Amino acid sequence: MLVVQAASSLQLCRIMRPDDANIVGNVHGGTILKMIEEAGCIVGTRHCNTQDGDRCMAALVRVEKTEFLYPVFIGEVAHVTAEITYTSKHSLEVQVQVMSENILTGVKKLANKAALWYVPCSLKNVDKIMDVPPIKYASAEQEELGRKRYGAQKMERQETKARIEDVVPPPPNPGQHTVGFSQSSLIHLVGPSDCTIHNYVHGGVTMKLMDEVAGIVAARHCSTNIVTASVDAINFHRKIIKGCVVTVTGRLTFTSNKSMEIEVFVDASSLMEAGKEKYRAVSAFFTYISLDKANKALPVPPLKIDGEEEKRRFEEGNARYLQSKAKRLAEKERQE
Amino acid sequence: MLVVQAASSLQLCRIMRPDDANIVGNVHGGTILKMIEEAGCIVGTRHCNTQDGDRCMAALVRVEKTEFLYPVFIGEVAHVTAEITYTSKHSLEVQVQVMSENILTGVKKLANKAALWYVPCSLKNVDKIMDVPPIKYASAEQEELGRKRYGAQKMERQETKARIEDVVPPPPNPGQHTVGFSQSSLIHLVGPSDCTIHNYVHGGVTMKLMDEVAGIVAARHCSTNIVTASVDAINFHRKIIKGCVVTVTGRLTFTSNKSMEIEVFVDASSLMEAGKEKYRAVSAFFTYISLDKANKALPVPPLKIDGEEEKRRFEEGNARYLQSKAKRLAEKERQE
Amino acid sequence: MLVVQAASSLQLCRIMRPDDANIVGNVHGGTILKMIEEAGCIVGTRHCNTQDGDRCMAALVRVEKTEFLYPVFIGEVAHVTAEITYTSKHSLEVQVQVMSENILTGVKKLANKAALWYVPCSLKNVDKIMDVPPIKYASAEQEELGRKRYGAQKMERQETKARIEDVVPPPPNPGQHTVGFSQSSLIHLVGPSDCTIHNYVHGGVTMKLMDEVAGIVAARHCSTNIVTASVDAINFHRKIIKGCVVTVTGRLTFTSNKSMEIEVFVDASSLMEAGKEKYRAVSAFFTYISLDKANKALPVPPLKIDGEEEKRRFEEGNARYLQSKAKRLAEKERQE
């Protein structure tokens, strides 16, 4: 089946407003993640409906690890470009690029690159996954690379499946720089504008809430201007429906000299159905850095660890940190 | 029936953003009141659904007198704690506390305390009040105090009800389909997100407000689904700056068989500079049509004209209508 | 000077959400106009900064007559394409096209075409109009057509300017510090995000609107930074349903040395049911204080009373003021 080019790519842009940013003027990582997901959802839904059969919506199931390469500021225009880069039988990959443009100076910067995985859910029966029309690849090599990414994420998604863990509330008066001191949570009643036309919460809305909580945790820990540096791969285990209450909780797991890792959990529960249990919908790791007035990274106060559980999480965080550092170095060498 | 602890209390929090505050940075009392009520609604609805029978929503019937003890600022986190403190057969009391936290300095302040009364309305039939499951009290004294508060508010609600129905004169009702019947106006306090980076209101924001008022005028006139058909040329004579209040007024000038013409004025005035005059910033003509369920244009009730002024405006509207009709015909002929 | 193609055109798009539309699902004309202007402002500002000299913003001065050719619905994607089509020495024309795309069926429709005129204002001095860099035209004929449009709109702008200044009577200005001087009212069309899932307006939304009006009344009275000090008990007599218009009116009833009492009324009426009367849903008293830059309470100008009615309300307000003062003192003593 032939899919026209126009259907598999998309550009959107928007001026960044005061409410998109913190008080220093840095646009929230969550605002960027939400725009990225809107672009992915449009391009994915459009593509999956270029065939006969039930009408469907592209539902976000995974975002690959993404780095915030350059801060975006109020008044700049964020340009988001999305393109479908791989299709399997039941899922598709969208690669997205965010450029920030200062329309006064003309300066453009690459702010973010991300890859998102979607599956098409029938509008008639949301549990029915539709087939994905294949795209055409520029080369056999490109297709092969896509297949590898597909295999890798599939394996990882199965591994991470819904690790449910109770988040224990912090002790009443925790000492500064402990995990309990900065742990935070927020509650949000899902409204109409948070949802797609089949009444499920947009993945981008969830990510924006997660980034908001992670930002509060980071600011509490180091009392400075903080920004999102990267987000580890996020798997969306279960959908969240209109009328739910979501509880988003963040806690510090690890600090390096200049970064903080925050684990964020999203739990959903229906207000109306008392019998139904609260369930874990998403969880992810956000990495934040602390900035001085010239936007240079500041040292981060070390996290005070208490007990076996916190120690284990810290070591796991350290392992992720070292792994990602090694990866960055390897990429740098390859480019030279 | 025993209600578990978690179901009868709740915490929520949110960072205060520029749009939550006035231009000096003080968070609006209304923002705080809205958060308080969201917490009360969640905890009340959740509690009333912990029993068998119709699903229901907690509907707010009363807020006790509340004081704003300490101002909250942009960038602070507002923490709202809500707890059910009394239940009668058909209503419940939620006590709410708002703490502001400066996450950079760690300073916390008690910003507000409030008490709200809710009744559970069935979702199947909104006029049916459901029973409220009883809560457990820590002591007999606590229950007794609650009963007193319940009695006091019940009495006061009945008193005010009588007063509002007797004393307050009904708003004047000009005859249906006259100009006065549908004339409408709104005031809007210009906020940060309405403005460009040099603090002037975006033209698009002004036009959206104008269309909102014009739409209300049109709907009031014909009590049907209405949509914007066209907008005459709009000239932006004077700029509107952040911190202004704009007054947007719409009035019907002309009706044809199937269209309504509404004149919309935008007046701006500075809140802070008492000496400065209100000035007219923009004015324009919007044309609306009325649609049936199949999106087909419906006939519009003719406008009842009163006095020389209204007559003159009607005739001018008619001239614009005929001119634009002639133009459309000419274009159509040219295209054929 | 040569301007590259990319700088003089732009595409933006967005999914239409419930809050962008009326209850039947038609996207408001105002939503479309706002997107059109955002695109025009970006492309205009970007173009005018492709030269040396002061940085500047493109300020909207005129929108040509525009027609809404086809309704747009919730869930569709609105694509806005903007292009600079003419430049004079001090202004530029942007032509904008809006296509709606149903991403489920693939159907695209031309929803709107518009032409906007901008002038570049220096960021250093907003009254200084900058020069506009010339664009290149595809043909001499195209340039000539643009020059004609430029001439026509220039003439019409001058005509309307004269008319607006001469004919329109200045709004009536009651004496400063009287009740009438600061009395304010707003109308608000209830949208999806204002409502619970059973389609009744959240009490918190109503209170936020009430505080907004009361704040404008207070600021108009004393032209300073004002904050909410307290709210008297509020009773919610009748529910407000989705699709209603609410009118919120505030008027000063009483001033003490350092406080203002404002009575706020909320009236609701259905837009769709012509027979149904407007009804009073809520009323309440808000108390405001005026603050200096150090957040200390300032004296409030005394309210000028006129007539029996205003006198009676003032005395009742005074009684409430004295009662609440006595209560505060009693509590203070009890605590000591």
Side-chain angles (χ1 to χ4, degrees):
Chain A
M1 198 213 135
L2 187 99
V3 176
V4 291
Q5 179 57 27
S8 65
S9 74
L10 184 91
Q11 283 213 16
L12 58 85
C13 69
R14 187 161 76 72
I15 298 183
M16 296 293 104
R17 292 183 293 250
D19 269 12
D20 297 318
N22 63 20
I23 41 172
V24 186
N26 289 114
V27 169
H28 294 298
T31 302
I32 306 289
L33 290 171
K34 200 178 165 204
M35 290 184 75
I36 286 174
E37 206 275 321
E38 181 168 357
C41 175
I42 294 175
V43 86
T45 301
R46 178 202 271 166
H47 177 77
C48 295
N49 283 290
T50 53
Q51 60 186 347
D52 295 331
D54 288 5
R55 298 298 95 202
C56 57
M57 283 290 299
L60 181 67
V61 292
R62 179 177 165 91
V63 181
E64 297 295 343
K65 174 166 184 161
T66 178
E67 286 179 42
F68 292 84
L69 305 165
Y70 216 87
V72 184
F73 298 95
I74 299 173
E76 292 186 344
V77 176
H79 295 269
V80 181
T81 317
E83 196 180 1
I84 300 181
T85 42
Y86 185 77
T87 50
S88 73
K89 188 162 169 44
H90 289 302
S91 70
L92 58 86
E93 184 197 49
V94 182
Q95 289 191 7
V96 185
Q97 217 183 4
V98 183
M99 299 289 299
S100 70
E101 179 192 7
N102 183 323
I103 52 174
L104 301 184
T105 62
V107 173
K108 288 182 188 179
K109 283 184 170 147
L110 179 61
N112 192 287
K113 273 165 79 173
L116 297 85
W117 292 89
Y118 287 89
V119 299
C121 302
S122 160
L123 285 188
K124 282 190 196 153
N125 168 9
V126 92
D127 292 324
K128 183 178 163 195
I129 306 295
M130 307 291 293
D131 283 1
V132 175
I135 56 163
K136 277 176 130 178
Y137 299 93
S139 67
E141 197 204 343
Q142 218 173 59
E143 185 171 4
E144 185 49 33
L145 286 171
R147 191 173 295 126
K148 274 188 190 158
R149 291 192 303 272
Y150 170 71
Q153 65 86 27
K154 198 176 175 185
M155 213 178 63
E156 227 189 285
R157 266 171 63 197
Q158 278 159 349
E159 276 172 15
T160 19
K161 233 173 194 172
R163 185 172 57 103
I164 303 282
E165 184 188 332
D166 275 338
V167 187
V168 182
N173 259 329
Q176 218 187 338
H177 302 143
T178 62
V179 175
F181 182 79
S182 57
Q183 182 169 324
S184 305
S185 84
L186 68 77
I187 287 179
H188 176 73
L189 183 57
V190 170
S193 285
D194 299 328
C195 292
T196 63
I197 45 170
H198 62 326
N199 289 332
Y200 284 91
V201 174
H202 276 292
V205 170
T206 310
M207 290 193 285
K208 191 161 184 274
L209 290 171
M210 294 171 86
D211 180 66
E212 187 176 338
V213 167
I216 293 175
V217 172
R220 275 183 171 157
H221 183 73
C222 57
S223 303
T224 52
N225 179 32
I226 48 82
V227 293
T228 319
S230 68
V231 185
D232 253 42
I234 311 181
N235 294 301
F236 292 79
H237 304 295
R238 293 182 56 180
K239 295 193 193 74
I240 306 172
I241 200 165
K242 196 165 92 175
C244 272
V245 172
V246 294
T247 308
V248 185
T249 308
R251 68 175 174 212
L252 265 168
T253 46
F254 166 78
T255 51
S256 74
N257 282 347
K258 298 210 171 167
S259 73
M260 296 161 271
E261 188 197 59
I262 295 135
E263 188 168 17
V264 184
F265 301 99
V266 181
D267 295 315
S269 59
S270 167
L271 264 187
M272 296 296 165
E273 294 155 274
K276 289 220 177 160
E277 286 295 303
K278 202 183 210 184
Y279 60 90
R280 174 120 328 146
V282 197
S283 64
F285 293 100
F286 282 69
T287 299
Y288 271 73
I289 53 172
S290 163
L291 295 181
D292 67 10
K293 281 178 188 172
N295 279 318
K296 277 186 64 181
L298 286 170
V300 164
L303 182 63
K304 285 184 189 151
I305 291 300
D306 181 30
E308 279 310 303
E309 190 61 26
E310 289 186 10
K311 199 177 158 194
R312 182 185 57 73
R313 291 202 297 257
F314 191 91
E315 279 160 10
E316 287 173 8
N318 194 20
R320 279 186 294 271
Y321 171 74
L322 294 174
Q323 199 185 345
S324 116
K325 202 172 172 180
K327 210 172 162 186
R328 266 205 307 277
L329 280 175
E331 261 172 40
K332 214 173 166 185
E333 272 173 26
R334 215 184 42 197
Q335 282 170 359
E336 280 164 7
Chain B
M1 196 212 136
L2 187 99
V3 176
V4 291
Q5 180 57 25
S8 66
S9 74
L10 182 92
Q11 285 213 14
L12 59 85
C13 69
R14 189 160 75 71
I15 299 185
M16 295 294 103
R17 292 184 293 248
D19 280 354
D20 296 321
N22 63 20
I23 43 171
V24 186
N26 289 114
V27 169
H28 295 299
T31 302
I32 306 289
L33 291 171
K34 200 179 165 205
M35 289 184 75
I36 286 175
E37 205 276 320
E38 181 168 357
C41 175
I42 293 175
V43 85
T45 301
R46 179 202 273 165
H47 177 76
C48 295
N49 283 290
T50 54
Q51 61 186 347
D52 295 332
D54 287 5
R55 298 301 92 202
C56 58
M57 281 291 297
L60 181 68
V61 292
R62 180 178 164 92
V63 182
E64 297 295 345
K65 176 167 181 161
T66 178
E67 286 180 41
F68 292 84
L69 306 165
Y70 215 88
V72 184
F73 298 95
I74 298 173
E76 293 187 342
V77 175
H79 295 268
V80 181
T81 317
E83 195 180 1
I84 300 180
T85 42
Y86 184 76
T87 50
S88 73
K89 189 164 167 43
H90 289 302
S91 71
L92 58 86
E93 183 198 50
V94 182
Q95 289 191 8
V96 185
Q97 217 183 8
V98 183
M99 301 286 300
S100 70
E101 178 195 5
N102 182 323
I103 51 176
L104 300 184
T105 63
V107 173
K108 288 181 189 181
K109 283 184 169 144
L110 180 60
N112 192 286
K113 273 164 78 173
L116 297 85
W117 293 88
Y118 287 89
V119 298
C121 302
S122 160
L123 284 190
K124 281 190 198 153
N125 168 7
V126 92
D127 293 324
K128 182 178 163 197
I129 306 295
M130 308 291 294
D131 284 1
V132 174
I135 56 162
K136 278 176 129 179
Y137 298 93
S139 68
E141 197 204 346
Q142 218 173 59
E143 184 171 4
E144 185 49 32
L145 286 171
R147 190 173 298 125
K148 274 185 189 158
R149 291 192 303 271
Y150 170 71
Q153 64 86 28
K154 198 174 173 183
M155 213 178 64
E156 225 190 287
R157 267 171 62 198
Q158 278 158 352
E159 276 172 15
T160 359
K161 198 169 181 183
R163 206 181 59 201
I164 212 172
E165 280 168 4
D166 291 351
V167 177
V168 178
N173 244 350
Q176 219 187 336
H177 303 144
T178 61
V179 174
F181 182 79
S182 57
Q183 181 167 329
S184 304
S185 92
L186 66 77
I187 47 174
H188 173 75
L189 182 57
V190 170
S193 287
D194 299 329
C195 293
T196 63
I197 46 170
H198 63 325
N199 290 333
Y200 285 91
V201 174
H202 276 293
V205 169
T206 310
M207 290 193 285
K208 190 163 185 272
L209 290 170
M210 294 171 87
D211 180 66
E212 191 177 333
V213 168
I216 291 174
V217 172
R220 277 183 168 158
H221 183 72
C222 56
S223 302
T224 52
N225 180 33
I226 48 82
V227 294
T228 320
S230 69
V231 185
D232 252 40
I234 310 180
N235 294 303
F236 292 80
H237 304 292
R238 293 184 55 180
K239 295 195 193 74
I240 307 172
I241 200 165
K242 197 164 92 177
C244 274
V245 170
V246 294
T247 307
V248 186
T249 307
R251 68 176 174 209
L252 265 167
T253 46
F254 167 77
T255 51
S256 73
N257 281 346
K258 298 207 171 170
S259 73
M260 295 161 271
E261 189 196 60
I262 296 135
E263 187 169 16
V264 184
F265 303 100
V266 180
D267 295 314
S269 59
S270 167
L271 270 185
M272 294 299 168
E273 294 156 273
K276 290 221 175 160
E277 286 294 304
K278 202 185 210 179
Y279 61 89
R280 175 123 322 153
V282 197
S283 65
F285 294 100
F286 283 68
T287 300
Y288 272 73
I289 52 173
S290 163
L291 295 182
D292 67 10
K293 282 178 187 170
N295 279 318
K296 275 184 66 181
L298 286 169
V300 164
L303 183 62
K304 285 182 190 153
I305 290 300
D306 181 30
E308 279 310 302
E309 189 63 24
E310 288 186 13
K311 199 178 160 194
R312 184 185 56 75
R313 291 202 297 256
F314 190 92
E315 278 159 11
E316 286 174 8
N318 194 21
R320 278 186 295 271
Y321 171 74
L322 294 174
Q323 197 186 347
S324 117
K325 204 174 172 177
K327 210 173 164 188
R328 265 206 307 278
L329 280 176
E331 263 172 40
K332 216 174 165 182
E333 271 172 28
R334 213 183 45 197
Q335 282 169 359
E336 280 165 5
Chain C
M1 198 212 135
L2 186 99
V3 176
V4 291
Q5 178 58 25
S8 66
S9 74
L10 183 92
Q11 284 214 13
L12 59 85
C13 69
R14 188 160 77 71
I15 299 182
M16 295 293 104
R17 291 183 295 249
D19 278 357
D20 296 319
N22 63 20
I23 44 170
V24 186
N26 289 113
V27 168
H28 295 300
T31 302
I32 306 288
L33 291 171
K34 199 178 167 204
M35 289 183 75
I36 285 174
E37 204 277 320
E38 181 167 356
C41 176
I42 293 175
V43 86
T45 301
R46 179 202 271 165
H47 177 76
C48 295
N49 283 289
T50 54
Q51 61 187 346
D52 295 331
D54 288 5
R55 298 299 95 203
C56 58
M57 283 290 298
L60 181 68
V61 292
R62 179 178 165 91
V63 182
E64 296 296 343
K65 176 168 182 162
T66 177
E67 286 180 41
F68 293 84
L69 306 165
Y70 215 88
V72 184
F73 298 96
I74 298 173
E76 292 186 343
V77 176
H79 296 268
V80 181
T81 316
E83 197 180 359
I84 300 180
T85 43
Y86 184 76
T87 50
S88 74
K89 188 163 167 46
H90 290 302
S91 70
L92 58 87
E93 183 198 49
V94 183
Q95 289 191 8
V96 185
Q97 215 184 9
V98 183
M99 300 287 300
S100 69
E101 179 192 7
N102 182 323
I103 52 174
L104 302 184
T105 62
V107 173
K108 288 182 189 179
K109 283 181 170 147
L110 180 61
N112 192 287
K113 273 164 79 174
L116 298 85
W117 292 89
Y118 287 89
V119 299
C121 302
S122 159
L123 286 189
K124 283 191 196 151
N125 168 9
V126 92
D127 293 324
K128 182 178 164 196
I129 307 295
M130 308 291 293
D131 283 0
V132 174
I135 56 164
K136 277 176 129 177
Y137 300 92
S139 66
E141 195 205 347
Q142 217 172 60
E143 184 171 3
E144 185 50 33
L145 286 170
R147 190 173 299 126
K148 275 187 189 158
R149 292 192 303 271
Y150 169 72
Q153 64 87 28
K154 198 175 173 185
M155 212 178 63
E156 227 189 284
R157 268 170 63 198
Q158 278 159 350
E159 276 173 15
T160 0
K161 198 170 181 184
R163 205 180 59 199
I164 214 173
E165 280 169 3
D166 290 352
V167 177
V168 177
N173 245 349
Q176 220 187 335
H177 303 143
T178 61
V179 175
F181 181 80
S182 57
Q183 182 167 329
S184 305
S185 93
L186 66 79
I187 47 173
H188 174 73
L189 181 58
V190 170
S193 288
D194 299 328
C195 293
T196 63
I197 46 171
H198 63 324
N199 290 332
Y200 285 91
V201 174
H202 277 292
V205 169
T206 309
M207 290 193 285
K208 190 163 185 272
L209 290 170
M210 294 170 86
D211 180 66
E212 191 178 333
V213 168
I216 292 174
V217 172
R220 277 183 169 160
H221 183 72
C222 56
S223 302
T224 53
N225 180 33
I226 48 82
V227 294
T228 320
S230 68
V231 185
D232 253 41
I234 310 180
N235 294 302
F236 292 79
H237 304 293
R238 293 184 56 182
K239 295 193 193 75
I240 306 171
I241 200 166
K242 197 164 93 176
C244 274
V245 170
V246 294
T247 308
V248 186
T249 307
R251 67 175 175 212
L252 264 168
T253 46
F254 166 77
T255 50
S256 73
N257 281 345
K258 297 210 171 168
S259 73
M260 296 160 270
E261 189 196 60
I262 295 135
E263 187 169 19
V264 183
F265 303 101
V266 181
D267 295 315
S269 59
S270 167
L271 270 185
M272 294 298 167
E273 294 155 273
K276 290 221 177 159
E277 285 295 303
K278 204 183 208 182
Y279 61 89
R280 175 124 320 154
V282 197
S283 66
F285 294 100
F286 283 69
T287 299
Y288 271 74
I289 53 174
S290 163
L291 296 181
D292 66 9
K293 282 179 186 170
N295 279 318
K296 276 186 66 182
L298 286 170
V300 163
L303 184 62
K304 285 182 190 151
I305 291 299
D306 182 30
E308 280 309 303
E309 189 61 26
E310 289 186 12
K311 199 177 159 194
R312 184 186 56 76
R313 291 201 298 255
F314 190 91
E315 279 159 10
E316 286 172 8
N318 194 20
R320 280 186 295 269
Y321 171 74
L322 294 173
Q323 199 186 346
S324 118
K325 203 172 172 179
K327 210 173 161 186
R328 266 207 307 278
L329 280 175
E331 262 171 39
K332 215 174 167 185
E333 273 172 25
R334 215 184 44 198
Q335 283 169 1
E336 279 163 7

